Amino acid sequence: MPRPIPSDRRVAPGVDRLGDDVVNFYLVQEPDGLVLVDAGLPAHLKQLREHLADSGRSLTDIRAMLLTHGHPDHTGLAHTLQQAGADIWIHGSDAAILHDGPRSALRHAKPERSALPYLLRRPTALATPLHLARTGAFTAPATPGVRAFDTDRQLDEVPGKPRAVPLPGHTPGSTGYLFPHRGLLFTGDALVTHDGLTGHTGPTLVCRGFTHDSRTALTSLDRIDELTETTLLLPGHGHPLTGDPRTATRQARQTGPR
C-alpha cells in the first residue's frame, strides 16, 4: 500500500513542487492515479525517483504527464516517463518540438528577440542557460507518439479530469491545466513569478528573449481572468501565488513584456 508523500515539498493538498531554483514541475495525487505537470530537466530524474520512493511508489505509478509547452526546461523527463508507461499530453502546436527533440524549440517557437541583449545588460543571467545545458535540457531524447489536443477541453482520460486551457504566446501551444475541484491552475510559462533572464520577481510574462509572441501572451492573461474557480496559480518558474488570479494578471500587465 503506498504511503503518504512527505510534505516538505507540498504546495497544496496532494500537490508537490519539484525541480530547483530555476524550473518547477509538479506531482499531483488523485484517487485514480498520479499526474506529473511538466517534466523538468533530465537531471531531475534522481529527485523524482527518490520522492516517489519515499511513499512506496515508482515511475510506473505516474499515469499521465501534462506538458504546459515544449521548451526543453519543461520536457526533460518526457521520454523517460513515456517509456515507464505514462501518457504524454501536449497542445498540438507544440507537439513537433517533442517529436523533433529539444533543440528544435528555437525553430518551432522562435523567440521575438535574441537573448544576447539581456545577457549583456545582466551578465548574471547567463547562469540560467548554463544551468539548462549542464542538466541535459538540450540533449534529452525526442518524444514522438504523444497525445495532442487543439482546443480547450476536459481530459477525461487523465486522473482528476483536468481541463486543458490554451494560453498561447510564450509558445504557440502554451497551455494551462485547471483542476477545478482543487482550485489549481498550472500556468507553465504563460504567467510566472520569476524571469531568469531579467531577474524580475513577481507576477510577469516571460521576457521576449524567451517568448514567441508577447502580444498573444498578453491576451492569454484575459483567459486566466475568466477561470474563476482558481485560487492557486502554480507557475513554471518562481513561487506559487494564492488568491484572486486577476490580481496576478493585473501585475503582469503592468510589468508588460520586457
Side-chain angles (χ1 to χ4, degrees):
M1 176 72 71
R3 301 183 295 277
I5 289 178
S7 60
D8 59 322
R9 293 182 174 274
R10 184 117 322 152
V11 293
V15 182
D16 298 310
R17 177 186 174 195
L18 301 171
D20 53 40
D21 291 341
V22 174
V23 62
N24 304 322
F25 63 109
Y26 301 90
L27 182 68
V28 183
Q29 301 173 69
E30 289 288 346
D32 49 342
L34 299 180
V35 179
L36 206 64
V37 181
D38 278 333
L41 298 159
H44 290 142
L45 179 59
K46 181 174 183 290
Q47 179 193 81
L48 177 60
R49 287 186 188 277
E50 291 177 349
H51 189 66
L52 290 166
D54 285 343
S55 59
R57 295 173 170 89
S58 69
L59 296 182
T60 58
D61 291 305
I62 297 176
R63 286 188 48 196
M65 173 182 285
L66 307 177
L67 297 176
T68 61
H69 61 293
H71 278 165
D73 53 333
H74 293 260
T75 61
L77 297 178
H79 178 80
T80 299
L81 268 294
Q82 186 184 60
Q83 294 297 107
D87 286 331
I88 312 300
W89 292 84
I90 193 169
H91 192 281
S93 295
D94 277 16
I97 302 174
L98 272 290
H99 183 274
D100 295 342
R103 293 185 180 180
S104 73
L106 288 176
R107 184 172 77 252
H108 292 299
K110 184 179 179 181
E112 283 186 333
R113 291 181 179 173
S114 166
L116 184 59
Y118 298 89
L119 298 175
L120 292 175
R121 285 197 299 269
R122 184 173 173 267
T124 55
L126 186 60
T128 295
L130 286 178
H131 175 72
L132 301 186
R134 285 194 299 266
T135 51
F138 307 113
T139 57
T143 311
V146 299
R147 303 193 66 172
F149 52 87
D150 293 312
T151 60
D152 186 319
R153 56 165 289 198
Q154 182 172 300
L155 303 179
D156 291 325
E157 306 92 330
V158 175
K161 298 183 178 181
R163 179 176 162 193
V165 183
L167 301 171
H170 179 65
T171 66
S174 286
T175 298
Y177 294 99
L178 175 67
F179 285 72
H181 62 294
R182 294 174 176 265
L184 304 179
L185 178 65
F186 296 89
T187 61
D189 288 4
L191 177 70
V192 301
T193 58
H194 180 71
D195 186 326
L197 271 188
T198 66
H200 179 82
T201 299
T204 189
L205 298 174
V206 175
C207 70
R208 290 185 172 104
F210 278 155
T211 288
H212 177 68
D213 183 341
S214 59
R215 185 182 297 273
T216 301
L218 272 171
T219 301
S220 287
L221 295 178
D222 297 338
R223 189 72 190 90
I224 294 175
D225 288 343
E226 296 170 1
L227 303 175
T228 56
E229 311 97 319
T230 305
T231 57
L232 179 63
L233 298 175
L234 296 164
H237 304 277
H239 294 293
L241 287 168
T242 58
D244 189 336
R246 291 172 294 186
T247 301
T249 57
R250 183 168 59 250
Q251 292 179 48
R253 290 186 186 92
Q254 291 171 349
T255 302
R258 294 165 177 246

